[in-house]
């Protein structure tokens, strides 16, 4: 029984391989380097139809066409940047999963760090202020009063015979 | 006083930004083609295989490129608007029949009327890639110099025509070709 369960489980696990389910589409390259380049690019480029997927994951027709385009360009010997430029010229920066660092994206890239800095400054100020309020300096008058109170307390203790 | 006003102020700013985010259309990706020369293609006409359709033929004119397909559901809603646009404003609309079957495309125009002066038959979708097409229907406005000046993604409504496309076209008509 246990073996049967294991066997069924392994069938499910093995059939989950993305290369099996992609079956229909085969891109063959002459070298491992080109294969690597292809996989890297289709993982970095966004599918514009289903916007939260990259070209590698998407099943839309446009994604298929663009995968073919990428593969053809690789076979032709184009470099990564040539292929990326080709896509950006047609679909804009949005096609890149990693947006470029330029004035229009400064807020996107630097915003989180600016927020972190602001939060740190805020916390530091907050802590400092709290500390100050704990240690309150007594004026001379107040000090005298306090000493007098303490002294009278001691006297009382002596009279009552307390320790 | 600040104790209460500051968080309230931050909250209001947050609400403004979030509501702005909600009202944006994520499908509206700005086209990098705006202000650039219209990408070339040289496709067979949908109705006549011998005849070629290419953007270069329309240099010196203000025209619309409308990307459509018979399998495209929102094109169905858009089509009457294009028909009206062609008859009322006599605007030159060139069609790009995108990844369609020739017979289906011809059939569709017979049934619903043909607002196009010509239709490029882009069976492979390669011309579509050059134009950055990702969601049919899409509509481009091209000026006399052959530059793309406006892109509308999704079905064009009559309001878009009256408020955006026609005012732009009228302005472009006044420009010179050079």
């Amino acid at each position: 029984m246990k073996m049967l369960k294991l066997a069924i489980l392994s069938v499910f696990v093995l059939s989950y391989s993305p290369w099996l389910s992609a079956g229909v589409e085969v891109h063959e390259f002459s070298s491992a380097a080109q294969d690597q380049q292809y996989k890297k690019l289709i993982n970095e480029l966004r599918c514009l139809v289903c916007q939260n997927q990259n070209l590698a994951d998407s099943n839309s027709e446009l994604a298929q066409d663009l995968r073919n385009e990428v593969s053809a360009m690789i076979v032709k010997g184009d470099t990564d940047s040539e292929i990326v430029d080709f896509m950006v010229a047609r679909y804009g920066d949005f096609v890149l999963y990693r947006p470029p660092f330029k004035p229009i994206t400064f807020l996107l890239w630097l915003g989180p760090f600016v927020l972190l800095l602001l939060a740190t400054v805020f916390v530091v100020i907050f802590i400092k202020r709290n500390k100050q309020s704990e240690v309150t300096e007594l004026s001379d008058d107040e000090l005298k009063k306090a000493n007098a109170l303490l002294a009278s307390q001691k006297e009382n203790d002596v009279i009552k015979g307390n320790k | 006083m600040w104790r209460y006003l500051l968080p309230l102020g931050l909250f209001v700013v947050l609400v403004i930004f979030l509501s702005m985010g909600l009202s944006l259309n994520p499908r509206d990706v700005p086209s990098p083609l705006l202000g650039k020369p219209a990408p070339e293609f040289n496709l067979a006409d949908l109705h006549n295989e011998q005849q070629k359709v290419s953007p270069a033929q329309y240099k010196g004119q203000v025209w619309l490129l409308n990307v459509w397909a018979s399998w495209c559901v929102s094109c169905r809603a858009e089509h009457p608007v294009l028909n009206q646009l062609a008859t009322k404003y006599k605007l030159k609309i060139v069609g790009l029949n995108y990844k369609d079957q020739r017979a289906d495309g011809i059939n569709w125009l017979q049934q619903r009327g043909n607002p196009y002066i010509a239709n490029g038959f882009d069976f492979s979708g390669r011309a579509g890639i050059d134009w950055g097409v990702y969601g049919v229907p899409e509509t481009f406005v091209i000026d006399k110099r052959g530059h793309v000046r406006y892109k509308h993604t999704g079905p064009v409504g009559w309001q878009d025509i009256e408020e955006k496309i026609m005012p732009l076209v009228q302005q472009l008509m006044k420009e010179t070709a050079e």
Side-chain angles (χ1 to χ4, degrees):
Chain A
M1 193 57 195
K2 213 174 178 185
M3 279 304 283
L4 186 70
K5 265 188 188 166
L6 208 67
I8 293 174
L9 194 70
S10 61
V11 165
F12 276 110
V13 168
L14 287 176
S15 62
Y16 188 66
S17 159
W19 304 117
L20 278 179
S21 53
V24 203
E25 203 181 301
V26 184
H27 293 281
E28 287 200 26
F29 300 100
S30 51
S31 72
Q34 285 190 338
D35 196 51
Q36 208 69 45
Q37 187 189 9
Y38 174 72
K39 278 181 191 146
K40 187 183 142 224
L41 281 168
I42 61 172
N43 272 299
E44 272 183 11
L45 294 168
R46 185 194 301 273
C47 167
L48 282 104
V49 179
C50 17
Q51 302 184 338
N52 285 328
Q53 286 188 305
N54 54 21
L55 287 188
D57 290 338
S58 174
N59 251 331
S60 73
E61 264 195 62
L62 181 68
Q64 282 173 30
D65 288 352
L66 291 180
R67 278 198 297 266
N68 289 336
E69 203 62 41
V70 170
S71 131
M73 288 180 84
I74 288 174
V75 170
K76 219 173 71 192
D78 285 345
T79 62
D80 283 6
S81 64
E82 278 172 322
I83 296 171
V84 166
D85 288 348
F86 173 93
M87 293 293 170
V88 170
R90 283 156 182 76
Y91 298 100
D93 287 335
F94 189 71
V95 79
L96 305 171
Y97 251 108
R98 209 179 315 137
F101 190 68
K102 56 187 196 182
I104 202 171
T105 59
F106 279 172
L107 190 66
L108 182 70
W109 279 105
L110 303 177
F113 298 105
V114 171
L115 276 182
L116 183 69
L117 195 74
L118 281 178
T120 318
V121 168
F122 185 77
V123 167
V124 167
I125 291 175
F126 188 75
I127 289 173
K128 269 200 174 157
R129 211 184 261 175
N130 265 11
K131 262 197 186 146
Q132 275 171 0
S133 63
E134 269 167 32
V135 189
T136 38
E137 298 268 334
L138 293 177
S139 67
D140 285 352
D141 257 10
E142 285 171 328
L143 211 61
K144 265 181 202 162
K145 259 186 203 164
N147 281 335
L149 273 173
L150 284 172
S152 66
Q153 180 75 36
K154 259 182 200 162
E155 270 166 32
N156 277 345
D157 288 350
V158 172
I159 293 165
K160 282 180 186 164
N162 291 348
K163 217 165 99 189
Chain B
M1 192 64 173
W2 275 112
R3 252 191 128 83
Y4 302 104
L5 276 186
L6 198 68
L8 184 70
L10 283 176
F11 178 72
V12 168
V13 169
L14 198 69
V15 166
I16 290 172
F17 272 94
L18 287 178
S19 58
M20 262 164 65
L22 276 179
S23 61
L24 289 176
N25 178 8
R27 296 249 145 227
D28 237 352
V29 180
S31 171
L33 289 175
L34 297 184
K36 304 233 172 78
E40 267 309 316
F41 56 75
N42 196 23
L43 295 167
D45 189 89
L46 178 70
H47 290 94
N48 179 1
E49 245 178 289
Q50 311 306 321
Q51 207 174 315
K52 293 288 181 194
V53 179
S54 95
Q57 294 163 354
Y58 307 104
K59 263 231 163 106
Q61 310 181 42
V62 179
W63 56 286
L64 252 60
L65 182 83
N66 176 252
V67 186
W68 66 281
S70 68
W71 48 260
C72 154
V73 181
S74 20
C75 297
R76 229 164 273 200
E78 186 189 54
H79 206 75
V81 176
L82 295 179
N83 281 336
Q84 209 180 337
L85 181 63
T87 49
K88 189 174 170 193
Y89 289 114
K90 308 267 178 277
L91 199 59
K92 290 195 170 67
I93 310 174
V94 177
L96 184 69
N97 183 237
Y98 179 69
K99 296 188 74 122
D100 207 351
Q101 299 295 325
R102 197 180 276 274
D104 292 346
I106 292 173
N107 204 5
W108 158 284
L109 292 182
Q110 258 163 11
Q111 282 174 3
R112 293 164 207 269
N114 185 355
Y116 305 106
I117 52 169
N119 266 290
F121 180 59
D122 185 22
F123 181 70
S124 68
R126 189 57 185 73
I129 290 182
D130 281 342
W131 281 76
V133 172
Y134 60 91
V136 192
E138 288 185 12
T139 306
F140 300 84
V141 179
I142 295 101
D143 68 10
K144 291 180 181 173
R145 290 179 307 154
H147 287 195
V148 178
R149 297 297 287 270
Y150 182 72
K151 177 184 180 179
H152 183 100
T153 310
V156 171
W158 196 247
Q159 203 182 350
D160 302 311
I161 302 275
E162 298 277 8
E163 285 172 10
K164 287 184 201 144
I165 294 179
M166 278 323 289
L168 177 67
V169 166
Q170 269 145 15
Q171 179 205 323
L172 295 182
M173 294 278 199
K174 288 182 202 135
E175 289 182 1
T176 48
E178 282 319 309

